[in-house]
Amino acid sequence: MPNDAIIQINNLSAKYSDDVILDNITFDVYQNEIFVVLGGSGCGKSTLLRHTIGLEVPFAGNVTIDGADLINCSETEFKNTLKKIGVLFQGSALFGSMTVSENVALPIQEYSNLKNDLIDKIVNLKLGLVGLEGYGNHLPSEISGGMKKRAGLARALALNPKILFLDEPSAGLDPITSKEIDELILDINKNLGTTIVIVTHELESIFTVAQRVIMLDKTKKGIIAEGKPADLKKYSTNQTVKDFFNRKSNKK
Amino acid sequence: MNMREKERTVLQRYTITELDNGHLYIHLNGRIDIESASNILNTLETKILSTSPKIVTINLDNVSYFDEYGALVLSELRKIVADQKGTLNISDKKNRSKIKASVANFDTPEKTTGIRKSPVNFFVRVGDASLSRMDNMKYFTSFLGSVILSFIDVLKHPKSIRLNDTITCMEKTGVNAIPIVALISFLLGLVMAFMSSLQLKQFGANIYVASLVSIAMVSELGPIMTAIVVAGRSGSAFAAEIGTMKISEEVDALFIMGFNPTTFLAVPRIIASMIVVPILTLFSDLFAIAGGLVIGILTLDLTFNSYIAQTLKTLSLFEVMWGLSKSVVFALIIAWIGCLRGFQTRGGADAVGNSATSAVVTSIFLIILFDSFFAVARSYLW
């Protein structure tokens, strides 16, 4: 079903000054799927994400989201594309001067003409969705790390984006909360048909949510495996991939 | 272009049929999402309010996309219709249970936790403010205490002082501030000489311009101007640096690794400031006198030699040392308050900004206050 590709990455190369992080990467993400980018620490997962959402300009290659070429498109087209995506950053990136509710309300106020009391209703609903009822009035500094993550997720979901990018959604969370987040991800994908791209290295979540994964590698600076996680675990011949899925250290 | 186009596409999202028996039939179609929601809601609300129908049927057969924003619209419409003593029916051929569920979600009066904090009562605010002032005072003293303890510690173990940090800080606070301090002082000397010359000329006392500029700068304005510039440049920087470290848990990390954060972060800054601010003050004095000299030569017909001679005659070593010792105290105030505000930072990015602001405000206030103490002390003691 390559025609359904909602995100297309073509021959992307990324460098920070002289360090090549990603070298000539090509892959597609299809509509309505849960796609996971995985790999060990420092393999360029977050770099890939930053390039995909247009935060960084690639050294070479291009990125297309829902038909819009992020690198060559006009300012208006770029802005329109931003409306279609929601991002949960690794550190949640909640605005410290605003309450949790105000954080979630911010994009809604920007993109709709709804009255404030109606926006409040939506915000409460979104907070309920991530299990943060009653915490709307707290400042981000007053809630725990896991709650910040969920608040960040509520903010990313505020506009019901077509594509949701999650950078390490369950890193640093307890198993129960991280399981809840996994279920939430599956729910969102099923109910709203949202395409979800997740960057993670949590094996548990990968097996629960991922429909298709790509694995990046530090030495190859590119993709070393692509497919269903269960298949990769069973059939992959690549030693790094095998080690990753079986939690083996590569020190002999 | 966009606005009009958007309106047109939104207008196509519904058709309204009015039947004569007070029945309003509304067909929604296409995407009902955040972009179309408020428009649909507003138009239908006006329509319903103007016709006040008994029965409103909303048909969702042709709706292709529907989310909470759509549910919110339906729920609001139901409320409006109910207020008009009518009923609202939702008909959906595909009978999507999800839609019903999400509308019901908004229908049930929720336990609202409003977005905005409710304003608190006047007395509570006054009480809060007083308590926080008291806490502030407590912290002021306890931080001063911990700085003094750190200094004793450093005196006992001179090796524990972070020499590299101190030198970097001296460069940032001192060397980099020379151009701005020199420029301000030069202009200040210039203006002072010019303004005073207008008056002194009338008595033929031109030569006393040199005395006035030198004594005013060396004992009062030099130390104060330098301190204010340093407070603005470096006091705020100290607060912002330490504040950022505080909110990103770096200070906690230092503490856990067994460092004393005060010794590690505050002492180098305080030592550096206490060394470089007097030197900056000397520069300030010098440039102000140069500014006065320019006016003296250009407009007052004084010679270079006579101006310098008069300046030297006026200034005593005591005067210079007095100004410099004041500037040492000012430096201590600036660094102490800057670090204090940094360590007090709690919260997010805006807290860092507040710390930087209050570091500058507090230290300028204390500088002026202590300067008055010095003036009083001097007039009583000598």
Side-chain angles (χ1 to χ4, degrees), chain B residues 188-202 209 212-213 295 299-300:
Chain B
L188 198 67
L190 211 75
V191 170
M192 224 179 349
F194 185 70
M195 296 311 287
S196 56
S197 74
L198 292 183
Q199 302 299 320
L200 293 177
K201 237 187 209 167
Q202 298 173 14
V209 167
L212 195 143
V213 168
I295 290 292
T299 70
L300 296 175

Side-chain angles (χ1 to χ4, degrees), chain A residues 147-161:
Chain A
M147 286 156 85
K148 272 186 214 163
K149 223 150 229 170
R150 286 185 278 159
L153 187 58
R155 187 178 67 182
L157 285 170
L159 299 177
N160 290 325

Side-chain angles (χ1 to χ4, degrees), chain B residues 78-183:
Chain B
R78 175 175 286 165
K79 248 180 248 161
I80 295 163
V81 173
D83 286 347
Q84 308 277 319
K85 308 260 180 295
T87 45
L88 179 127
N89 302 319
I90 296 169
S91 102
D92 181 20
K93 196 169 59 192
K94 299 172 201 159
N95 210 6
R96 286 165 282 199
S97 56
K98 214 188 83 204
I99 292 186
K100 274 188 193 155
S102 55
V103 176
N105 231 330
F106 285 106
D107 285 346
T108 46
E110 76 276 34
K111 351 94 195 168
T112 29
T113 52
I115 287 189
R116 281 147 280 274
K117 278 187 176 164
S118 52
V120 279
N121 154 341
F122 170 77
F123 295 103
V124 176
R125 287 229 299 269
V126 171
D128 270 350
S130 326
L131 285 179
S132 83
R133 285 293 133 79
M134 293 224 311
D135 273 354
N136 211 352
M137 287 313 294
K138 237 190 259 171
Y139 199 83
F140 254 68
T141 356
S142 75
F143 184 71
L144 188 61
S146 102
V147 167
I148 291 168
L149 285 181
S150 298
F151 262 96
I152 294 173
D153 209 43
V154 164
L155 286 181
K156 273 195 216 148
H157 315 278
K159 272 190 182 161
S160 70
I161 187 173
R162 298 185 54 81
L163 203 61
N164 277 340
D165 284 1
T166 315
I167 290 171
T168 323
C169 189
M170 280 166 70
E171 188 191 338
K172 280 203 267 184
T173 311
V175 180
N176 296 350
I178 289 177
I180 183 72
V181 167
L183 180 68

Side-chain angles (χ1 to χ4, degrees), chain A residues 101-198:
Chain A
S101 288
E102 284 167 344
N103 264 290
V104 180
L106 187 70
I108 307 179
Q109 280 160 351
E110 176 65 23
Y111 287 117
S112 81
N113 302 318
L114 290 170
K115 292 191 204 96
N116 275 341
D117 56 324
L118 299 187
I119 292 180
D120 289 5
K121 284 187 174 183
I122 297 264
V123 169
N124 279 328
L125 187 84
K126 294 290 180 193
L127 288 180
L129 192 68
V130 296
L132 283 181
E133 304 95 341
Y135 288 99
N137 270 338
H138 288 60
L139 286 172
S141 52
E142 296 165 347
I143 58 177
S144 74
M147 286 156 85
K148 272 186 214 163
K149 223 150 229 170
R150 286 185 278 159
L153 187 58
R155 187 178 67 182
L157 285 170
L159 299 177
N160 290 325
K162 233 172 164 177
I163 313 168
L164 192 58
F165 292 93
L166 310 174
D167 195 355
E168 311 253 354
S170 45
L173 297 185
D174 67 278
I176 301 175
T177 318
S178 99
K179 180 80 185 157
E180 280 168 6
I181 289 206
D182 286 351
E183 277 161 11
L184 191 60
I185 291 170
L186 289 169
D187 265 3
I188 294 162
N189 172 259
K190 209 174 95 205
N191 290 335
L192 296 174
T194 312
T195 308
I196 301 179
V197 178
I198 306 173

Side-chain angles (χ1 to χ4, degrees), chain B residues 186-238:
Chain B
F186 182 79
L187 292 178
L188 198 67
L190 211 75
V191 170
M192 224 179 349
F194 185 70
M195 296 311 287
S196 56
S197 74
L198 292 183
Q199 302 299 320
L200 293 177
K201 237 187 209 167
Q202 298 173 14
F203 310 104
N206 286 358
I207 190 68
Y208 288 106
V209 167
S211 307
L212 195 143
V213 168
S214 56
I215 201 93
M217 264 333 267
V218 168
S219 69
E220 275 300 323
L221 291 173
I224 287 205
M225 285 309 294
T226 312
I228 288 177
V229 169
V230 172
R233 280 185 85 258
S234 305
S236 57
F238 295 163

